[in-house]
Amino acid sequence: IMGAVQLLPPISFFLVTLLDAFLLIIVVFPFLYIFFFRPMTLNIAERKRAEEAQIRSNELLERMFSLTHVLITYMDLDFNIIRVNRAFAESDNRTLDFFVGKNYFELYPDEDHKLIFQEVLEQGEAYVYFETAFGFAGHPDRGATYWDWSLTPVKDEEGNVIGLILSMLNVTERRRAQDALKRSQQNYESLVNSIDGIVWEADAQTLAYTFVSKQAERLLGYPIERWLKDPAFYYESLHADDRFAAMAFRATAPVENRNQQHEYRMLNAGGELVWLNDLVTVVTEEGVPIKLRGVTVDITKQKQAEEALRNEIVERRRAQEALRRERDFAENLIQTAQMIVLVLDEEGRIIRYNPY
């Protein structure tokens, strides 16, 4: 630029300086701005945004670490505790500083768990376990507690394990609730199976059995699976003379939406006739029948007793009729005899005689 200026006619120094300044502003400054100042400014802004994001991320992680109800412990390769969160410290009634530098297994001795920790260090793979029993050495009064826990290796950029993170979630209440529910179910099943009758449940629409108590097998000899899996089983096992009435009874119960009672005959696994009495309850949701629940009682002995009583009554009536005919015959004989007829009691006294 200066060489080109020298070829021009002589001009004042002021104009030369003004021209240089003009060219500097027009050419050099844009060049410096585009290729130097702007990239540097953008880089600084980007770095600042990244730092702010990192700060926000760290703050979020810190809040999560401090406020979560999950117990978290960060330890080195020798299982020395570097840091615990508030939930972990409070679970053992300790301060956060108490745990720093202490060995985890000196605080909570457990050789089985120690082997797992060592395996995670060696293999570099996370370990997860559910509902593990755990006892607090310093708090035997707590009894057994149950935990879902995981052990995760922390790795550097080269993939080397540099630490471990232990996360624990107390599920004792859930486990106790499950155990209580299991005991309740066992008690219920025991009660149902102790009833001297078949407790059952069926779909209100299809009439297919969804539950049958174990008494069914004892009373009738058929395996429970057949009640539940064979749709034709109930119909085929009914006495031929009772099939229509029994099936109609089951079908009308949900339609009429009322509890019912019905007696019918069924053949047991040995082909013997068994009298049964069904007590059926209709279960509804929002007025719509969804289930039938019932108790089927064996009334064979009752029916046999009733039959025996009927036979006895018939025999008694026959005997009474025969005695009446004998008395009528004797009376007629006395009245029509052509001779003197005397009727004596056991002591020889006359109690009856004819008018001859």
Side-chain angles (χ1 to χ4, degrees):
I1 294 173
M2 296 302 298
V5 172
Q6 291 178 357
L7 297 177
L8 297 174
I11 56 177
S12 66
F13 178 79
F14 173 77
L15 290 176
V16 173
T17 304
L18 184 61
L19 180 60
D20 287 343
F22 176 75
L23 293 175
L24 182 65
I25 294 173
I26 296 301
V27 178
V28 178
F29 279 0
F31 178 84
L32 292 176
Y33 176 76
I34 293 172
F35 295 101
F36 181 73
F37 291 111
R38 180 174 173 78
M40 184 172 62
T41 303
L42 293 175
N43 186 42
I44 294 173
E46 184 65 28
R47 185 181 304 172
K48 185 175 181 180
R49 284 194 294 268
E51 290 175 353
E52 291 175 350
Q54 184 66 37
I55 291 173
R56 288 195 299 270
S57 176
N58 290 340
E59 290 176 348
L60 178 61
L61 291 174
E62 183 64 27
R63 285 197 298 270
M64 292 177 59
F65 189 82
S66 301
L67 300 178
T68 181
H69 63 288
V70 177
L71 280 59
I72 302 176
T73 307
Y74 178 47
M75 60 191 78
D76 63 19
L77 301 181
D78 295 321
F79 313 131
N80 296 315
I81 297 174
I82 298 174
R83 187 180 180 187
V84 301
N85 69 342
R86 188 186 307 279
F88 190 98
E90 291 178 351
S91 70
D92 205 14
N93 295 329
R94 305 283 189 178
T95 64
L96 294 171
D97 295 336
F98 169 83
F99 296 93
V100 177
K102 292 183 172 60
N103 188 273
Y104 179 85
F105 289 104
E106 290 180 0
L107 295 175
Y108 310 108
D110 191 314
E111 290 301 319
D112 292 336
H113 284 181
K114 190 171 184 178
L115 292 175
I116 295 173
F117 280 45
Q118 291 172 342
E119 183 178 346
V120 171
L121 284 181
E122 295 171 359
Q123 297 184 358
E125 299 293 336
Y127 183 92
V128 180
Y129 207 87
F130 300 98
E131 293 189 1
T132 303
F134 181 82
F136 286 89
H139 302 280
D141 55 301
R142 298 185 182 180
T145 56
Y146 296 89
W147 301 78
D148 290 347
W149 63 279
S150 65
L151 190 65
T152 305
V154 179
K155 300 180 180 180
D156 59 17
E157 296 178 353
E158 298 178 355
N160 300 316
V161 177
I162 59 174
L164 295 173
I165 294 179
L166 173 65
S167 302
M168 303 175 65
L169 177 63
N170 192 340
V171 294
T172 303
E173 293 302 320
R174 184 185 73 190
R175 173 61 181 267
R176 289 174 180 171
Q178 291 173 345
D179 291 344
L181 178 60
K182 185 177 180 180
R183 288 193 299 269
S184 177
Q185 290 174 336
Q186 290 173 342
N187 292 337
Y188 173 76
E189 291 179 2
S190 177
L191 175 62
V192 167
N193 292 322
S194 67
I195 295 175
D196 191 18
I198 303 170
V199 179
W200 55 268
E201 187 174 85
D203 185 274
Q205 305 304 319
T206 65
L207 303 182
Y209 285 104
T210 56
F211 171 79
V212 178
S213 67
K214 295 180 180 179
Q215 290 286 22
E217 191 166 355
R218 183 184 68 82
L219 292 178
L220 296 174
Y222 298 107
I224 303 299
E225 290 77 11
R226 189 170 179 190
W227 290 77
L228 300 176
K229 296 181 180 180
D230 185 355
F233 161 74
Y234 178 71
Y235 174 81
E236 294 174 350
S237 301
L238 291 170
H239 188 279
D241 295 339
D242 293 347
R243 283 176 181 169
F244 178 79
M247 293 302 295
F249 165 76
R250 286 284 179 92
T252 57
V255 174
E256 298 178 358
N257 195 14
R258 63 183 179 87
N259 302 339
Q260 297 186 12
Q261 180 177 346
H262 179 65
E263 294 180 357
Y264 59 94
R265 291 166 292 177
M266 195 171 183
L267 298 177
N268 64 18
E272 298 174 340
L273 190 66
V274 180
W275 273 96
L276 300 172
N277 183 20
D278 258 4
L279 303 172
V280 180
T281 300
V282 181
V283 180
T284 63
E285 284 187 2
E286 299 180 355
V288 179
I290 59 169
K291 293 180 181 178
L292 298 179
R293 286 177 181 162
V295 178
T296 301
V297 181
D298 183 354
I299 58 172
T300 304
K301 291 183 179 180
Q302 176 184 333
K303 287 294 184 179
Q304 291 173 344
E306 291 175 356
E307 181 67 20
L309 180 59
R310 284 194 296 268
N311 292 337
E312 182 181 346
I313 292 174
V314 170
E315 290 300 322
R316 186 179 300 172
R317 287 176 177 174
R318 288 176 180 173
Q320 291 174 346
E321 181 64 22
L323 180 60
R324 185 187 63 78
R325 288 196 299 268
E326 289 178 1
R327 286 177 179 175
D328 291 345
F329 176 77
E331 182 65 25
N332 184 59
L333 181 63
I334 292 172
Q335 296 296 330
T336 61
Q338 300 298 313
M339 62 184 70
I340 298 174
V341 179
L342 300 176
V343 180
L344 307 177
D345 62 14
E346 294 177 352
E347 297 179 356
R349 292 175 296 188
I350 297 173
I351 59 174
R352 185 81 183 277
Y353 60 88
N354 67 343
Y356 180 80

